[in-house]
Structures are given as structure tokens and as C-alpha cells.
Amino acid sequence: MKIAFVGCGYVADMYRQCLDLHSGELELAGVYDRDSERLAAFTKTWGDRAYASLAELLAEPDLGVVVNLTDPENHAPVTRAAIAAGRHVYSEKPLGMTLSEARGLRDAAAKAGVRLAAAPSNILGEQAQTLWRAVREGAVGRVRLVYAELDDGMVHKADYRNWISRSGRRWPAEGEFETGCTFEHAGYVVTLLVAMFGPVRRVTAYASLLIPDKECDQPVHPAPDFSCGLLEFNGGIVARVTNSIVAPYDHRLRIVGDAGVLQVEEPWDFAGPVRLKRTATTRLDRFLERRFPLRKGRVVKAVRPVPFRSGRGRPPMDFLRGVSEFAEAVTAGRPGRMDADLAVHITEVTEMLQHPERYPRPATVSSQGECCGRWIGRSESRRKSHRPWITRRP
Ligand SMILES: NC(=O)c1ccc[n+]([C@@H]2O[C@H](COP(=O)([O-])OP(=O)(O)OC[C@H]3O[C@@H](n4cnc5c(N)ncnc54)[C@H](O)[C@@H]3O)[C@@H](O)[C@H]2O)c1
């Protein structure tokens, strides 16, 4: 299927680096960025066709999917323009910066008869599928509690001015600080949790801007750099989700059940191991747990080997897997895994985490019913029999 990128910034290089994983399946017709220097640097690096305008890109014959890789504040106008041109859209996350913006886009797509989906797609990765299978198979018994850390360290003190993408884009620190680490990262774990446990029912959150001075080269208006929220799922499971760019790097996701804990170190690393540690019950086990708290447990057998290697410029996740799944869904006329209803739900929960002042506390999630029609709301027994989504052979 023919696709085209709008936005040729930092993440566009990561998407482009994954294109060879989808040869014969996705064909990049061309790219566009309203910043002509950026567009030129990108097309010089990759040899792709540059469109002169968004209108020219949208008019490309047989274009299957517009991949919106603009910065979060520009997602809505670009997605809206593509929908108005009758194009299917896959958007980077978040779908919108507010629940109402995300809902507006979803409804506009439905009205126009086009399909809409959004990142993150790490739930389609081997690590997430392995984790999900272990949960389904009862590896930790009944799940009670989830701890999800998304602490990124003090990014404003890091040497991010030297974080340069393949085509020369400096990591957009100012934009990241203004969008907020919660909007940037929470979706990576909330999507996994919603896939495994169903829609979020209620959220109780706290967020704060702990370090207003981000020491940037130009003035910025940072969003909260710390948030902590409790997500309640049907069935009583509670997840504590923490986001910050203050506390030291820690991206552990721990799923605690009666019989043990499933743990991953990095929720967007497709090749990362899933570990299982049994609940300490004996005196000796409890002693060992206290004495050696870093013991991580045994590695769970993966659903399949990851069909690529990260490093040497290749990111740890296949950024185009969501686009590929979406293209397949559009072609087959079936619902997509990362469809707009899910993205609306993820956007609402994320907004509640980053901006708790906009909602009552605890906040009832209004979109919980909207995303449960397809794969998410399946009954527990059906979910148990549900196979991992990866069907393609490596
Ligand atoms: N930077 C990362 O590490 C990273 C990782 C994963 C996901 N993301 C997500 O990817 C998206 C893009 O982030 P980024 O880091 O690449 O940002 P970026 O600022 O480097 O790139 C965005 C590009 O979009 C272009 N753009 C903005 N509005 C446009 C418009 N109306 N028409 C055409 N071009 C337009 C900008 O000129 C810019 O080149 C965000 O949603 C972000 O959350 C970023």
C-alpha cells in the first residue's frame, strides 16, 4: 500500500529506518514538511520524493495512508486536512491534545467514511505480546496491581543538543517540554494495560511542574514534568502510572498477581525480555527478596524472535508495525487494532493524568464504553482464548 509522511522531523527518521522491514507491503510514495530546509535534509538523506505542499501530497493518486508525523500540536490540523481530502490517516500519538479534539477527529473520519488510527503501536511488538500471553495464561494468577514507571531522568540537564537524527534533526527538546512527558510517554503503557485489562474506568491523578526552568536556548512554557495517576479497571485491577523528566531513568512495568510478578524493563523495546518472579511466601524467599531486591526472575519464552536488530541507527521498536497493521485492516475491511476509538480513550486517560485540574477527582472516564466494542471489551474467557496478533512470519 502507498503511504506518505507528513512531518520530516526526529521521529520521521525512525519510521524511515523501519521501512525495509515492510518491503513489498508498504511503499513510501513521498514526504512533506512545511519547513523546507528539513524537507530537503530528509529527502537528501533518504532519496525520497518531496511534495511541494500538503495539498500535493494529499492529491497523490492511489495514496492508501497518510502518516502524520508532525509535532503533537499540529496533529489535529494535518489529520483534519487529510480526512477532508478523503484519506485514511495513521497519526503519531497523541491523536489530539484533548479528549474533545481527539473525538472531533474520530467523528470527522467516520463522517467522511475514512479510517483513522494512532500510535503508539508497541502492543503489536513481540515483548508486549509475550507479556499479554503470560497474563492470559495465568502466569501470575489473578492480576491485582500494576506499577508502571516512565521516569526519563533530568532530560533538561542531558546533552540532548547532541541527540541528532539520521537526517540531522536535533531532538526537539523545547517541543517535548511544552507537550509534556505524560503526553509523550503515558500512551506506551496505557495502551498495553487497556489491551490486557479492558478500558480504564476511573482515574485519580496528580501532576506538577517541578522544574519550570528547563535551561533551554529559547523561552519555553513547559507542561507538568511529573505526574502520578491511579487507573482503575473493571474487575478491580489498579495501575499506578508515574511519568517524569525529573527522577532517574526507570521504565519498569510490573504486573503483580497472586502468584508472582511479570516485569519488563522498557515497554517499547520489542526485543526486551519479559521476566517472571514467583511471589515470595516462605521465610527464606522473603529473606532473599529483601536481601537481593534486584533479582529479576526467569525470562518468559517469547511469542517469536524479533525479526530485526535494534542499534546502529535502528530504533528498538518497529515504528511502522502500526501503520502496516492499519494498512492490512483497511485492505481487509476489518477493524484496526490501534483504531480511533482506542486512541480517543488513551487520549482521555492521558489528559486526566497530565491535567487532573480539568477533571473531578476521581475522574470517571467517559470514553470507556466507546473503545470496548471490538477487541478490548471481549469477555475474560474470550480474551483468554485470544491469540497474539502477530500473524506475519519474521
Ligand atoms: N522524538 C522522539 O523521540 C519521538 C519518539 C516517538 C514518537 N514521537 C512522536 O512523533 C511526533 C513527532 O515528533 P518529532 O520528535 O519528530 O518532532 P519534530 O519537531 O522533530 O518534527 C515534527 C516535524 O513536523 C513538521 N510540521 C509541523 N507542522 C506541520 C504541518 N502542518 N505540515 C507539515 N509539516 C509540519 C515540523 O516542521 C517538523 O519538522 C510527535 O507526536 C511525538 O510525540 C517522537
Side-chain angles (χ1 to χ4, degrees):
M1 180 180 281
K2 250 195 210 181
I3 62 171
F5 292 172
V6 183
C8 299
Y10 197 88
V11 89
D13 277 313
M14 301 203 222
Y15 274 73
R16 187 61 181 77
Q17 274 154 359
C18 299
L19 191 62
D20 63 335
L21 300 172
H22 299 276
S23 55
E25 176 198 330
L26 299 176
E27 178 201 340
L28 184 62
V31 301
Y32 170 67
D33 197 298
R34 67 181 177 188
D35 176 341
S36 55
E37 280 180 29
R38 189 83 293 282
L39 180 61
F42 190 89
T43 50
K44 188 166 170 227
T45 303
W46 296 105
D48 297 327
R49 173 182 170 197
Y51 293 102
S53 65
L54 181 59
E56 189 183 89
L57 180 150
L58 295 175
E60 171 72 35
D62 306 324
L63 183 61
V65 176
V66 173
V67 185
N68 183 353
L69 305 180
T70 60
D71 46 285
E73 284 70 16
N74 282 295
H75 287 175
V78 169
T79 297
R80 221 175 278 125
I83 291 170
R87 298 300 183 186
H88 305 302
V89 183
Y90 181 91
S91 170
E92 244 305 327
K93 46 78 195 157
L95 180 59
M97 289 302 290
T98 60
L99 168 65
S100 64
E101 193 171 71
R103 269 200 181 126
L105 294 170
R106 184 212 36 205
D107 296 347
K111 201 165 161 207
V114 297
R115 304 279 296 273
L116 178 60
S121 63
N122 56 322
I123 183 64
L124 302 175
E126 285 73 6
Q127 176 183 249
Q129 292 290 320
T130 303
L131 181 67
W132 192 2
R133 185 183 63 183
V135 168
R136 274 199 315 271
E137 290 178 353
V140 289
R142 182 166 171 192
V143 174
R144 307 282 181 175
L145 180 66
V146 177
Y147 281 176
E149 330 290 346
L150 284 162
D151 289 307
D152 237 25
M154 287 210 189
V155 174
H156 70 288
K157 297 275 187 198
D159 63 343
Y160 64 78
R161 290 172 185 81
N162 297 322
W163 300 351
I164 309 290
S165 75
R166 180 94 150 251
S167 68
R169 167 69 169 148
R170 200 197 77 172
W171 186 71
E174 293 80 3
E176 292 258 342
F177 295 148
E178 294 197 339
T179 300
C181 57
T182 305
F183 257 112
E184 289 289 353
H185 292 155
Y188 288 101
V189 295
V190 177
T191 308
L192 300 193
L193 300 181
V194 169
M196 290 189 281
F197 307 128
V200 182
R201 193 174 58 186
R202 281 200 309 181
V203 174
T204 307
Y206 173 85
S208 179
L209 176 57
L210 300 177
I211 308 178
D213 180 7
K214 295 293 181 207
E215 303 172 22
C216 288
D217 302 333
Q218 60 199 62
V220 291
H221 303 285
D225 49 18
F226 167 77
S227 73
C228 188
L230 300 174
L231 279 46
E232 293 172 50
F233 295 83
N234 285 328
I237 298 171
V238 173
R240 193 260 295 135
V241 179
T242 304
N243 284 265
S244 91
I245 43 172
V246 178
Y249 197 99
D250 183 355
H251 283 189
R252 275 174 309 161
L253 172 64
R254 285 172 289 172
I255 296 179
V256 182
D258 291 337
V261 181
L262 283 161
Q263 174 168 329
V264 303
E265 300 289 315
E266 183 66 84
W268 55 66
D269 180 359
F270 279 23
V274 176
R275 290 177 189 274
L276 171 63
K277 203 158 94 172
R278 294 264 159 242
T279 303
T281 49
T282 66
R283 211 172 156 149
L284 175 63
D285 281 349
R286 287 179 61 82
F287 167 77
L288 290 172
E289 194 165 81
R290 266 203 317 277
R291 190 71 200 276
F292 305 104
L294 297 180
R295 279 194 329 157
K296 288 175 181 159
R298 74 168 174 86
V299 174
V300 175
K301 187 175 182 304
V303 290
R304 72 166 197 191
V306 177
F308 64 91
R309 283 209 176 155
S310 64
R312 295 170 67 194
R314 174 111 63 198
M317 63 179 277
D318 170 6
F319 276 88
L320 279 170
R321 197 169 284 177
V323 179
S324 153
E325 193 281 328
F326 181 55
E328 228 179 79
V330 168
T331 307
R334 65 160 169 82
R337 309 292 190 197
M338 324 307 311
D339 75 3
D341 287 338
L342 172 63
V344 165
H345 185 62
I346 302 302
T347 306
E348 181 176 20
V349 172
T350 307
E351 188 182 7
M352 287 173 165
L353 291 172
Q354 176 154 316
H355 294 292
E357 75 284 356
R358 294 179 188 168
Y359 293 89
R361 211 177 301 186
T364 301
V365 182
S366 65
S367 61
Q368 55 178 305
E370 290 167 42
C371 79
C372 67
R374 310 235 168 92
W375 50 273
I376 286 177
R378 63 185 65 236
S379 68
E380 193 54 36
S381 58
R382 280 193 62 203
R383 208 180 300 146
K384 270 188 188 136
S385 66
H386 176 53
R387 293 196 168 177
W389 293 336
I390 304 165
T391 50
R392 231 167 254 291
R393 299 212 65 76

